[in-house]
Amino acid sequence: MQLFVTTYGTYVHVKDEMFEIRVPEQGNEKKYKRHHFSAKKITSILMPKSTSLSTDAVVLALKHNVDILFVDFSGHPLGQVWHSKLGSTTRIRKAQLEVSLCKDGLHWIKVWVGTKMENQMQVVQDLAKHRATIRDYIRQRIKQMQSLHVSLCQLNGSQVQDVAETIRGLEGTSGRLYFEALSSVLPETYRFSGRSSRPAKDPFNAFLNYAYGILYGKVEKTLIIAGLDPYLGFLHRDDYNQLSMVYDFIEPYRVYCDLVVF
């Protein structure tokens, strides 16, 4: 069980060797609702800003190998407290490193990037259904994207680095076709010329960058809770302080941001 502490002013401490969550009642900060959880049933505790916990709660968490993760208001991880004996986390990260250097890593990158491309094709296909005037234009782009997806699926190598540049090229070209199709069906005022991030050159990209920023935090938090290293990626480069695994793993889920912004 994961314990998410979300209410402003909530206090986590220990009572009878259990976590007691003291939540202030709305409209009356002097009254509290109390919830009790066995430390044996908790795997992690997420604490945002403006909440607090006692050192007894930290010790109880350490005793039972319960991760404590501190996040900001948007859910982006700020820091983590865990037991000095990492347990399964060490094995998970060792396996993650091994996979990054073998054919299994290439398999997962093809799955994640391939799913991203499939999602993009589905979005574009849905756009064509009720837009007869540009249906041929959109279908042409879908056909090109399908060809790129086939090329991705057919790639072979002993590890990601053997074909990394090819994957980036296929992904980038597919993305360009996808965003061209999205732009073409927007009202003329909001159309845009390709992706731009720092800085965004138009309202669509500004909103998209914001949405991706929120998603990055959610993905990083999920990876940390699962015991994975967010910096140890398969495809994205291992530059200083770069969340390579976050950038790899986020690919299939970007479409949810795209649809909201669109």
Side-chain angles (χ1 to χ4, degrees):
M1 180 193 303
Q2 295 171 1
L3 191 59
F4 289 79
V5 181
T6 57
T7 305
Y8 180 92
T10 297
Y11 178 58
V12 181
H13 66 123
V14 175
K15 185 174 183 180
D16 300 329
E17 284 298 299
M18 300 181 71
F19 291 112
E20 181 176 87
I21 316 298
R22 198 172 69 184
V23 184
E25 291 188 4
Q26 191 172 5
N28 189 344
E29 295 183 357
K30 294 183 179 180
K31 289 188 177 182
Y32 300 91
K33 292 182 179 179
R34 302 173 190 271
H35 308 274
H36 298 88
F37 299 91
S38 169
K40 296 178 181 178
K41 295 182 179 179
I42 303 294
T43 57
S44 58
I45 302 174
L46 276 76
M47 303 282 299
K49 295 169 68 175
S50 300
T51 60
S52 58
L53 77 166
S54 69
T55 53
D56 286 344
V58 174
V59 170
L60 183 63
L62 294 175
K63 185 189 296 185
H64 292 275
N65 204 15
V66 177
D67 291 346
I68 301 175
L69 182 64
F70 298 98
V71 299
D72 61 19
F73 290 121
S74 66
H76 190 276
L78 299 172
Q80 189 174 17
V81 177
W82 54 23
H83 200 286
S84 57
K85 299 176 182 178
L86 295 179
S88 64
T89 304
T90 304
R91 293 196 299 272
I92 292 170
R93 293 194 174 190
K94 183 178 179 181
Q96 182 182 351
L97 178 59
E98 290 173 347
V99 168
S100 72
L101 300 173
C102 71
K103 199 164 186 175
D104 288 342
L106 176 58
H107 163 76
W108 284 111
I109 283 298
K110 288 169 66 176
V111 169
W112 295 335
V113 174
T115 302
K116 174 187 179 180
M117 294 167 72
E118 289 170 358
N119 291 340
Q120 291 176 336
M121 285 188 282
Q122 185 60 55
V123 170
V124 175
Q125 201 162 2
D126 291 342
L127 293 176
K129 289 179 181 176
H130 307 293
R131 294 174 172 85
T133 55
I134 59 169
R135 191 169 294 158
D136 290 341
Y137 169 84
I138 292 179
R139 284 176 176 170
Q140 181 186 10
R141 266 139 186 77
I142 293 173
K143 188 175 181 180
Q144 291 173 287
M145 292 169 72
Q146 287 172 335
S147 176
L148 293 165
H149 184 262
V150 169
S151 296
L152 174 72
C153 294
Q154 292 176 342
L155 282 177
N156 286 310
S158 59
Q159 59 177 326
V160 176
Q161 296 311 311
D162 293 342
V163 290
E165 290 304 320
T166 303
I167 293 173
R168 294 187 189 105
L170 294 170
E171 179 189 13
T173 303
S174 180
R176 177 179 57 78
L177 295 167
Y178 168 67
F179 284 113
E180 283 177 0
L182 285 187
S183 179
S184 70
V185 298
L186 285 171
E188 191 169 349
T189 307
Y190 299 109
R191 289 177 188 169
F192 57 96
S193 178
R195 279 287 287 131
S196 57
S197 54
R198 299 178 183 176
K201 297 179 180 179
D202 51 78
F204 187 93
N205 277 288
F207 278 115
L208 198 60
N209 293 342
Y210 179 77
Y212 285 164
I214 293 173
L215 186 60
Y216 286 137
K218 290 184 179 294
V219 169
E220 183 183 358
K221 179 175 67 179
T222 302
L223 292 173
I224 290 172
I225 292 171
L228 293 163
D229 188 335
Y231 293 91
L232 183 57
F234 300 166
L235 176 64
H236 287 83
R237 295 181 179 89
D238 297 323
D239 292 337
Y240 179 75
N241 256 353
Q242 175 153 307
L243 295 164
S244 301
M245 188 59 174
V246 175
Y247 302 147
D248 287 350
F249 195 78
I250 200 175
E251 299 294 13
Y253 308 104
R254 288 184 185 273
V255 68
Y256 299 112
C257 295
D258 303 344
L259 290 172
V260 169
V261 173
F262 181 80

